[in-house]
């Protein structure tokens, strides 16, 4: 009896220690792009846009707010995009002319550029979508520290959903990644972040 | 004898509590369905449920003529990702609230069968663990905060 008790205590302790060192983001069985502990480097990229090949450097001189999402995203993307929209509408015309919101689809198998450009203007007419091959998307996401993976939902009524990190990446007028803003950042917070970049010279 | 009267009162008590349906003990407020961008085939219903009872109650399912499939869902934040998952039920704690809101618990409307318009209510029926059902007529709310305050 005592022995069993000892063994189970030892087992629990071992489990506790194991949990302490268990780092799910290093687990290899996940299809997710692994979250790395290094700071994301960001950088230039080229994908398919409304008018063909579109690169980040096409927006040099603008503050870019980059988001990784998808058009059948039921809740998370609409929340972020409507907050970004609210920020756009709070900016002055002069400020707004220097800001571009871009969404890279993390569901390149279903999202086409047409779908993205039907979806995004609902939030704000200036928002642009970009789509690439799964490989291109994965490579860019990795550089920005964005992670995503397909997830089966319910009885498959939705086809699938895409679990994804929901940061908005703030890129300065020189094309450098300067901040990642978390999910549900409010319109006011986006405005402050944008203005803090616009006043930097 | 003692045991028997105890049993009788227990039975009586349980039958009394069973007499009132959960629909009479849970109050639903601030319900709405979120408007969707063009081409979007899924939406969600959000609401606050207040349980006035001394027992926990649960929503076990929901249905709506506005969608092919209706599921109970939640969001969790794991490994740096927002994950949406179906849940078997939504618990409304005794004397407490269950908040169905963006980024958290919600009733998913999958495969919309009607266009969601701001002036057309969406009917959603929620079913509790005792089988009782509550039919709700929910307004459609736009996503834009400015648009919401503009009317």
């Amino acid at each position: 009896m005592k022995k069993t008790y000892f063994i189970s205590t030892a087992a629990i302790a071992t489990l506790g220690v194991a949990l302490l060192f268990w780092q799910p983001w290093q687990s290899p069985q996940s299809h997710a792009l692994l979250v790395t502990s290094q700071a994301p480097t960001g950088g230039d990229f080229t994908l398919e846009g409304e008018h063909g090949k579109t690169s980040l450097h096409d927006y040099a001189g603008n503050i870019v707010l980059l988001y990784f999402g998808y058009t059948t995203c039921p809740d998370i993307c609409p929340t972020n995009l409507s907050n970004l929209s609210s920020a756009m509408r709070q900016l002055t015309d002069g400020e707004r002319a220097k800001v571009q919101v871009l969404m890279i689809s993390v569901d390149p198998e279903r999202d086409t550029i047409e779908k993205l450009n039907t979806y995004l203007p609902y939030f704000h007419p200036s928002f642009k979508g970009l789509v690439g091959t799964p490989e291109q998307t994965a490579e860019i996401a990795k550089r920005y520290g964005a992670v995503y993976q397909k997830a089966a939902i319910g009885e498959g009524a939705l086809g699938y959903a895409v679990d994804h990190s929901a940061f908005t990446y703030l890129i300065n007028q020189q094309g450098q990644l300067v901040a990642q803003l978390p999910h549900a950042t409010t319109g006011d917070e986006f405005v402050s972040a944008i203005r803090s970049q616009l006043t930097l010279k | 004898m003692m045991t028997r009267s105890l049993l009788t009162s227990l039975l009586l008590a349980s039958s009394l509590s069973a007499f009132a349906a959960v629909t009479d003990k849970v109050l639903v407020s601030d319900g709405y369905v979120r408007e969707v961008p063009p081409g979007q085939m899924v939406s969600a219903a959000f609401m606050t449920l207040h349980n006035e009872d001394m027992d926990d109650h649960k929503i076990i399912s929901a249905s709506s003529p506005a969608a092919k499939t209706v599921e109970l869902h939640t969001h969790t934040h794991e490994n740096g990702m927002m994950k949406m998952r179906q849940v078997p039920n939504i618990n409304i704690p005794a004397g407490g609230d269950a908040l169905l809101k963006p980024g958290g618990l919600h009733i998913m409307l999958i495969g919309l069968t009607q266009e969601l318009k701001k002036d057309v209510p969406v009917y959603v029926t929620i079913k509790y663990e005792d089988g009782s059902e509550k039919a709700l007529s929910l307004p459609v709310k736009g996503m834009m905060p400015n648009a919401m305050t503009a009317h």
Side-chain angles (χ1 to χ4, degrees):
Chain A
M1 190 61 187
K2 214 169 192 176
K3 198 173 178 186
T4 325
Y5 172 75
F6 173 74
I7 291 169
S8 51
T9 311
I12 290 166
T14 314
L15 188 69
V17 172
L19 275 173
L20 207 63
F21 289 98
W22 182 61
Q23 297 181 309
W25 55 91
Q26 289 182 346
S27 126
Q29 75 269 21
S30 162
H31 290 290
L33 291 160
L34 305 179
V35 181
T36 62
S37 53
Q38 290 154 354
T41 53
D44 199 15
F45 52 79
T46 303
L47 288 165
E48 208 59 44
E50 192 182 9
H51 307 294
K53 295 266 175 272
T54 304
S55 301
L56 177 62
H57 69 246
D58 296 342
Y59 296 100
N62 289 294
I63 306 287
V64 172
L65 292 151
L66 177 67
Y67 187 71
F68 291 83
Y70 65 111
T71 64
T72 48
C73 180
D75 179 23
I76 300 299
C77 309
T79 299
N80 266 314
L81 292 167
S82 55
N83 290 355
L84 281 165
S85 169
S86 141
M88 286 301 268
R89 282 174 288 130
Q90 287 178 52
L91 296 173
T92 65
D93 291 347
E95 289 169 329
R96 200 179 303 115
K98 294 193 187 108
V99 176
Q100 179 63 53
V101 171
L102 296 176
M103 182 171 99
I104 295 180
S105 172
V106 290
D107 188 12
E109 289 169 51
R110 292 186 299 193
D111 280 345
T112 58
I113 197 68
E114 291 75 25
K115 268 194 195 170
L116 285 163
N117 288 327
T118 311
Y119 176 81
L120 290 167
Y122 168 84
F123 297 97
H124 196 270
S126 71
F127 289 6
K128 300 283 179 225
L130 296 169
V131 67
T133 62
E135 294 73 26
Q136 286 174 313
T137 311
E139 189 273 325
I140 299 162
K142 194 174 179 185
R143 280 195 275 130
Y144 279 85
V147 288
Y148 56 93
Q149 67 181 358
K150 272 192 207 175
I153 278 296
E155 305 299 311
L158 198 61
Y160 61 86
V162 184
D163 294 338
H164 62 107
S165 55
F167 293 105
T168 302
Y169 300 92
L170 183 68
I171 298 165
N172 69 14
Q173 287 159 298
Q174 289 75 44
Q176 294 156 332
L177 172 61
V178 286
Q180 53 174 32
L181 303 160
H183 174 62
T185 294
T186 64
D188 292 351
E189 288 162 347
F190 280 126
V191 168
S192 322
I194 292 164
R195 286 188 174 145
S196 72
Q197 284 303 314
L198 284 172
T199 51
L200 287 177
K201 277 292 163 213
Chain B
M1 194 59 191
M2 184 65 183
T3 324
R4 184 182 241 176
S5 69
L6 188 66
L7 194 68
T8 315
S9 49
L10 273 175
L11 276 172
L12 192 68
S14 69
S15 64
L16 266 178
S17 77
F19 185 72
V22 176
T23 43
D24 299 328
K25 299 166 189 162
V26 174
L27 306 175
V28 182
S29 60
D30 304 324
Y32 69 97
V33 169
R34 194 148 75 165
E35 190 187 53
V36 293
Q40 174 67 284
M41 296 309 288
V42 291
S43 187
F46 303 104
M47 63 193 72
T48 299
L49 297 127
H50 178 70
N51 184 354
E52 293 195 314
D53 202 13
M54 286 185 295
D55 296 312
D56 287 7
H57 291 297
K58 286 178 173 59
I59 297 178
I60 55 161
S61 67
S63 61
S64 171
K68 285 182 200 149
T69 310
V70 181
E71 294 178 355
L72 309 177
H73 280 253
T74 192
H75 274 104
T76 58
H77 194 220
E78 280 173 54
N79 301 351
M81 283 181 282
M82 298 298 294
K83 298 186 171 187
M84 189 182 70
R85 291 293 179 266
Q86 191 175 4
V87 289
N89 56 61
I90 291 174
N91 189 57
I92 314 146
D97 295 330
L99 298 176
L100 277 58
K101 60 180 197 314
L105 289 164
H106 55 281
I107 296 172
M108 264 315 271
L109 306 173
I110 304 166
L112 294 173
T113 53
Q114 70 184 60
E115 205 183 326
L116 301 183
K117 287 185 184 162
K118 273 182 200 164
D119 46 355
V120 182
V122 171
Y123 297 96
V124 174
T125 300
I126 52 179
K127 190 172 182 177
Y128 296 106
E129 82 278 6
D130 65 344
S132 63
E133 293 185 333
K134 175 92 178 164
L136 306 165
S137 165
L138 305 175
V140 174
K141 233 166 143 177
M143 272 186 266
M144 304 305 160
N146 290 5
M148 278 194 274
T149 52
H151 57 86

